[in-house]
Amino acid sequence: QTVVTQEPSFSVSPGGTVALTCGLSSGSVSGSHHPSWYQQTPGQPPRTLFYNTNIRSSGVPDRFSGSILGNKAALTITGAQADDESDYYCVLYMGGGILMFGGGTKLTVL
Amino acid sequence: EVQLVESGGGLVQPGGSLRLSCAASGFTFSSFWMHWVRQAPGKGLVWVSRINNAGSDANYADSVKGRFTISRDNAKNTLDLQMNSLRAEDTAVYYCARVQYYYDSSGYASPYFDYWGRGTLVSVSS
């Protein structure tokens, strides 16, 4: 069974740049998987950041960007801030109305 | 304002049943596909089930197939999840989520979650 893969954790310095990736255990991620990205802080529901790979959701700062890098989807934060410290999840469309989550990346800003 | 409010969670013994509901408001409920997503304590988000807007088609994660049933009542604007034969590993916060579609210049539909409820906690334990 195909699994959506993400780095379990990542660390970035304040003001730094980080690219969180979203891959497949078998095969490549492409635009046809319609990658979307979500941010979640403890005790809160997820917040939509991006959809259709790189369409920014309302209110999302432009230091966040979405893209396809090689064979993976990527969420890049340029100029990380302390309040970007969160869990980040990617979701891929697998067909048949099924949206599959990656395992999530815990981002630490320090 | 779009609102999704889950209810029905609680403590249940292994092998027991529970029915979750999600009350939707602020949008035309019958126009949207809806999903259930769960999150075990300290773990990641996991897709559970989805139902189309008419309620005529549904899919389930392998881990719940045959035990859970998703349904909706478009007249009452509610989404349900009937959970039977519950196991300890079903312990989680259950979120209902709305799926929106973005149509690109080629007309391809790109689905994504645009609204989430705050979740309801299901605990399966003896």
Side-chain angles (χ1 to χ4, degrees), chain A residues 18-104:
Chain A
V18 63
L20 312 182
T21 68
C22 175
L24 287 169
S25 56
S26 59
S28 299
V29 175
S30 70
S32 64
H33 289 100
H34 305 289
S36 53
W37 290 91
Y38 305 84
Q39 178 189 49
Q40 188 184 36
T41 53
Q44 298 297 317
R47 168 198 181 196
T48 307
L49 295 178
F50 286 91
Y51 52 94
N52 198 44
T53 304
N54 57 9
I55 308 297
R56 188 179 288 108
S57 191
S58 177
V60 176
D62 59 8
R63 66 177 181 275
F64 290 86
S65 61
S67 64
I68 299 287
L69 288 179
N71 63 349
K72 296 182 179 182
L75 174 70
T76 302
I77 307 174
T78 304
Q81 298 183 3
D83 61 1
D84 296 335
E85 190 163 289
S86 300
D87 295 326
Y88 292 88
Y89 295 90
C90 71
V91 170
L92 301 179
Y93 179 59
M94 308 304 285
I98 296 173
L99 294 161
M100 190 175 294
F101 286 84

Side-chain angles (χ1 to χ4, degrees), chain A residues 34 38 40 44 48 52 96-97, chain B residues 39 50 59 102 110 113 118:
Chain A
H34 305 289
Y38 305 84
Q40 188 184 36
Q44 298 297 317
T48 307
N52 198 44
Chain B
Q39 186 169 36
R50 70 89 181 157
N59 288 100
Y102 168 80
S110 177
F113 297 107
R118 298 201 63 83

Side-chain angles (χ1 to χ4, degrees), chain B residues 10-74:
Chain B
L11 175 64
V12 61
Q13 291 188 339
S17 298
L18 213 55
R19 189 176 185 90
L20 306 183
S21 287
C22 172
S25 61
F27 65 102
T28 305
F29 181 67
S30 60
S31 296
F32 290 84
W33 290 32
M34 298 295 295
H35 293 237
W36 286 99
V37 175
R38 70 184 182 184
Q39 186 169 36
K43 303 296 184 182
L45 298 165
V46 175
W47 177 79
V48 173
S49 181
R50 70 89 181 157
I51 189 167
N52 69 349
N53 59 313
S56 58
D57 186 56
N59 288 100
Y60 300 91
D62 287 345
S63 59
V64 307
K65 201 172 293 183
R67 299 187 299 122
F68 289 12
T69 303
I70 190 172
S71 61
R72 64 191 297 161
D73 186 333
N74 286 341

Side-chain angles (χ1 to χ4, degrees), chain B residues 1 38 48 62 91 112 123-124:
Chain B
E1 179 193 4
R38 70 184 182 184
V48 173
D62 287 345
T91 293
Y112 64 99
S123 296
V124 184

